[in-house]
Amino acid sequence: MPIDTAAGLDREHLRQLLAETIDADVADVRDDTDFVQTLGVDSLMALEVVVVLERAYGIKFAETEMSTVRTLNSAYEVVHRKLVERP
């Protein structure tokens, strides 16, 4: 899949990063797979996902946004928006 040139975000790289962070097979991290419901991610691991995304992309999550990152699609949307809005 091509890199989103507007934000420098590659969905497949994000998928790999998330899979490594939650210790799951990349094939299990489908676009709409719920990390908590399907892959058994607990609250501590969910926080680790947010920290990894912040470090990898140089962004900051608001506390209210942290709970919205439950799928690859939701992670992509939040990271993409933050990269586009970044000064």
Side-chain angles (χ1 to χ4, degrees), residues 1 10-20 26-27 29-31 72:
M1 189 159 286
D10 177 11
R11 184 178 292 267
E12 296 311 312
H13 177 262
L14 179 60
R15 185 184 319 274
Q16 180 70 38
L17 183 64
L18 290 170
E20 289 173 10
V26 174
V29 182
R30 294 183 295 278
D31 291 353
L72 175 69

Side-chain angles (χ1 to χ4, degrees), residues 34-84:
D34 188 295
F35 304 145
V36 175
Q37 296 281 337
T38 307
L39 300 177
V41 170
D42 62 16
S43 59
L44 187 58
M45 186 59 67
L47 180 58
E48 181 65 18
V49 166
V50 170
V51 169
V52 166
L53 293 175
E54 287 180 335
R55 287 183 183 157
Y57 295 102
I59 57 176
K60 281 295 202 188
F61 280 78
E63 210 171 306
T64 56
E65 295 171 315
M66 292 181 185
S67 63
T68 65
V69 179
R70 292 183 59 128
T71 67
L72 175 69
N73 281 341
S74 63
Y76 183 88
E77 288 170 14
V78 173
V79 172
H80 183 269
R81 179 175 41 80
K82 290 187 166 298
L83 289 173
V84 170

